[in-house]
Amino acid sequence: MAMSREESEGFLAEPHVATLGVAAGDGRGPLLVPIWYAYEPGGLPWILTGANSRKMRLIRAAGRFSLLVQRTSPTTRYVSVEGPVADVAEGSGALHREMAGRYLSGEALDAFATFAESELADHVVVRMRPEHWLSADLGVVG
């Protein structure tokens, strides 16, 4: 059963690992990779990726991308959101820490933040303007 827009936005706001999908060109299926993302209901989902990474080159070429988040316990739920790139901006240590803080805490967060400062300086933040939503909560079936 499809979730309401409010339920979908709430689920997307939880710290799931997303699958990013973006067109990979003629004769290829889409590029599908796991990625951290951030989202607040009513806002723009965003990711961080290398400015010259394959993901970013494909996102620039396509002008849009998709994110899919899911869980299987206690019930199967998923939300997929797709839309055009709303903004690409320079990343920062603060953005890396904010993103990582959704998934890590304590010493693990501090270690990742230190790593990001030295190794991920070329990252950009990519924001999506959601146009298409697809969701289901299979726990309400039956």
Side-chain angles (χ1 to χ4, degrees), residues 19-72:
T19 300
L20 177 138
V22 62
D26 292 340
R28 300 282 309 259
L31 173 69
L32 300 169
V33 294
I35 194 165
W36 286 352
Y37 72 97
Y39 176 72
E40 292 183 17
L44 302 178
W46 58 276
I47 62 168
L48 289 161
T49 191
N52 297 308
S53 67
R54 181 168 183 235
K55 287 186 297 277
M56 193 62 222
R57 288 192 311 270
L58 292 172
I59 289 169
R60 285 186 197 281
R64 59 193 316 113
F65 63 100
S66 300
L67 294 173
L68 167 69
V69 297
Q70 63 183 341
R71 73 160 198 224
T72 58

Side-chain angles (χ1 to χ4, degrees), residues 3 6 20-21 23 37 40 52 61 76 80-83 86-88 92 100-102 106 109 121-122 128 133-134:
M3 294 189 289
E6 183 176 281
L20 177 138
Y37 72 97
E40 292 183 17
N52 297 308
T76 300
S80 175
V81 61
E82 184 269 334
D87 180 55
V88 176
S92 69
R102 289 174 45 86
L109 174 57
D122 72 327
M128 173 208 296
W133 293 78
L134 181 65

Side-chain angles (χ1 to χ4, degrees), residues 89-120:
E90 188 173 322
S92 69
L95 288 172
H96 276 289
R97 187 170 191 86
E98 178 182 343
M99 177 73 73
R102 289 174 45 86
Y103 302 93
L104 305 171
S105 62
E107 291 180 16
L109 174 57
D110 292 340
F112 182 83
T114 299
F115 166 79
E117 287 280 334
S118 65
E119 301 296 323
L120 305 178

